[in-house]
Amino acid sequence: MITTIIHKGFASIMALLVLFSTFSFTVEKHYCGDHLIDTAIFTKAKNCGMEVSATTNTIVTKKSCCKDVVEIIKGQDQLKLNFNDLDTNAQFVFTAFVYSYSQLYQSLPKQIVPHRHYSPPNLVIDYQVLHDVFII
C-alpha cells in the first residue's frame, strides 16, 4: 500500500517536472532611472508615466530616463526522440522489446457461461437455521 502511494507520488512529481521544463514565459521589468517600478510575468509591465509622447506637430529630441527590460525564459522543446537517432544496437533491442511485449498479451477466446441468465429459486425455508446445522 505504501509502495503504491510512493509510486503515484513519484509519477505525479515527474509529470509536473516535464510540464514545467517545457513551460516558457517572459518577465518584463520597467525601470525609471535606476529604480525598479514594475515587474510583470506573462503581461506587459506598467510604466511610470514619465515617457515622452511625440505628437505630429512637435519633434521631441529629449531622451527618456525610462527603460524596459524583457527576459525570456525558454523551456525545453525537444522532448521527442526519433527512432533513427538511436544507434543500430539500441534499435535492435528496442524492436525486440516491443515485439516481445506485444506478444505477451494475447486475447483469449470468448468463454460461454451457461448459467449467466439463471436466477436462483426463492428461499422459502432456511433448513440450516431451522435445524441449527452449520458447517464450520
Side-chain angles (χ1 to χ4, degrees):
M1 181 174 149
I2 291 177
T3 57
T4 58
I5 293 172
I6 292 172
H7 180 67
K8 287 180 181 180
F10 186 70
S12 299
I13 289 170
M14 293 301 289
L16 288 174
L17 179 70
V18 169
L19 176 70
F20 287 124
S21 69
T22 60
F23 194 60
S24 299
F25 60 94
T26 60
V27 177
E28 291 193 18
K29 297 177 184 177
H30 180 78
Y31 289 94
C32 189
D34 291 334
H35 300 289
L36 178 64
I37 301 298
D38 189 28
T39 303
I41 301 174
F42 303 118
T43 60
K44 188 160 178 68
K46 295 179 183 176
N47 58 12
C48 59
M50 296 283 293
E51 280 81 19
V52 179
S53 62
T55 60
T56 57
N57 296 338
T58 61
I59 298 173
V60 178
T61 58
K62 182 178 178 185
K63 190 172 182 179
S64 176
C65 66
C66 297
K67 67 178 177 177
D68 291 324
V69 177
V70 177
E71 295 178 17
I72 299 173
I73 295 147
K74 188 164 173 67
Q76 183 180 4
D77 60 352
Q78 296 176 351
L79 291 177
K80 190 173 182 180
L81 182 67
N82 279 338
F83 184 72
N84 296 330
D85 293 343
L86 301 174
D87 61 344
T88 308
N89 290 336
Q91 287 179 359
F92 179 72
V93 168
F94 183 72
T95 306
F97 175 74
V98 168
Y99 179 74
S100 64
Y101 191 75
S102 67
Q103 298 298 320
L104 186 62
Y105 299 106
Q106 293 181 355
S107 62
L108 296 173
K110 188 174 181 181
Q111 294 182 354
I112 299 172
V113 180
H115 57 279
R116 178 183 309 174
H117 301 293
Y118 173 75
S119 60
N122 293 332
L123 188 61
V124 179
I125 299 172
D126 193 1
Y127 288 108
Q128 292 171 338
V129 175
L130 184 66
H131 299 290
D132 294 327
V133 177
F134 300 104
I135 299 175
I136 298 178

